Amino acid sequence: MSSRDGAVAVLLAAEPGRMPRADARRNIERLVEAARAAVAEIGVEVTAHEIARRAGVGIGTFYRRVSSREALLEAVLDEVLAEMTDLAANAAADPDPWRAFETFAAAYVRLRAESCGIREAVGGACGPNLDPVLGEIQEGLRALVERAQKAGMMRADVVWQDVPFLLAAVATGPRTLRLRAGEEQWGRNLRIVLDGLRAPRSQGLPGTPPA
């Protein structure tokens, strides 16, 4: 597990110089749980009133327990993204480099597919405060990609910066060209992308890699 503090701990630490009462802690825990679900379903534009409603507290309690909607969402998103750094570290312990990359890629794409807020956060919608944890995910993914390439298991004409764009493209909307996505369409898309990344490949890629 990551040594990073979770969202509840971060918000409790912001309490001004005193230990919060048990009911205050419970309210923070409810707000974190509600915010996490609301961000996944609605995205980062979810309102404080909607989070408070889901948590079963009034808007006054919301602002007594957290300094702002933005502070709550930042703590929740940081917590969820930190879980991805843990997944990358756990995957890296797998002795099989390709299986390690594949395991992380599947977990990363699933989270993107199931959470509107995470898709927005990794796309830069939440400003620079999440840059440190996004940088950790970058480094974890880079290490997995380069290890698989060094082992000859991933095509060498791909740079690691290509991979986040490929994984981002896997999650799809429910409809396109009058077609409806199948169950776990993202899983089908991911398999095609993973097969395309496996070595050996005889054809090179056009254009220049992402910067």
Side-chain angles (χ1 to χ4, degrees):
M1 291 295 294
S2 172
S3 60
R4 181 191 309 275
D5 289 335
V8 172
V10 168
L11 295 168
L12 284 171
E15 288 281 315
R18 58 185 175 81
M19 288 295 292
R21 301 187 314 274
D23 61 336
R25 182 184 181 93
R26 284 194 298 272
N27 283 336
I28 290 176
E29 291 170 348
R30 289 173 186 153
L31 287 168
V32 166
E33 182 179 357
R36 186 161 175 157
V39 163
E41 181 181 338
I42 299 170
V44 297
E45 296 303 315
V46 63
T47 65
H49 283 84
E50 175 62 16
I51 296 171
R53 183 190 69 78
R54 290 175 179 238
V57 303
I59 194 65
T61 297
F62 180 100
Y63 283 111
R64 282 194 297 273
R65 299 281 70 88
V66 298
S67 59
S68 67
R69 181 190 72 96
E70 291 75 17
L72 174 59
L73 294 186
E74 182 181 313
V76 167
L77 288 167
D78 188 81
E79 179 181 70
V80 177
L81 290 169
E83 293 170 5
M84 298 307 298
T85 70
D86 293 341
L87 286 169
N90 292 337
D94 192 319
D96 184 314
W98 177 258
R99 189 171 59 203
F101 168 72
E102 191 174 52
T103 297
F104 175 77
Y108 178 78
V109 171
R110 178 184 288 277
L111 184 60
R112 281 186 57 101
E114 294 177 350
S115 175
C116 292
I118 292 302
R119 287 198 300 274
E120 293 164 342
V122 298
C126 300
N129 289 339
L130 292 176
D131 283 355
V133 68
L134 292 175
E136 291 174 23
I137 296 172
Q138 270 192 3
E139 285 304 301
L141 179 57
R142 178 191 61 77
L144 291 168
V145 169
E146 292 179 353
R147 180 180 172 220
Q149 288 178 318
K150 185 176 181 180
M153 295 179 173
M154 183 182 293
R155 53 190 295 174
D157 57 347
V158 170
V159 295
W160 78 263
Q161 293 97 327
D162 283 314
V163 177
F165 287 95
L166 293 171
L167 297 182
V170 166
T172 183
R175 292 179 179 275
T176 184
L177 287 178
R178 299 173 61 195
L179 300 170
R180 186 174 67 250
E183 185 179 356
E184 292 208 9
Q185 183 69 47
W186 68 267
R188 293 171 60 84
N189 298 347
L190 177 62
R191 174 49 51 198
I192 294 169
V193 168
L194 291 174
D195 286 348
L197 285 170
R198 293 241 24 191
R201 301 290 295 180
S202 59
Q203 296 182 347
L205 295 177
T208 57

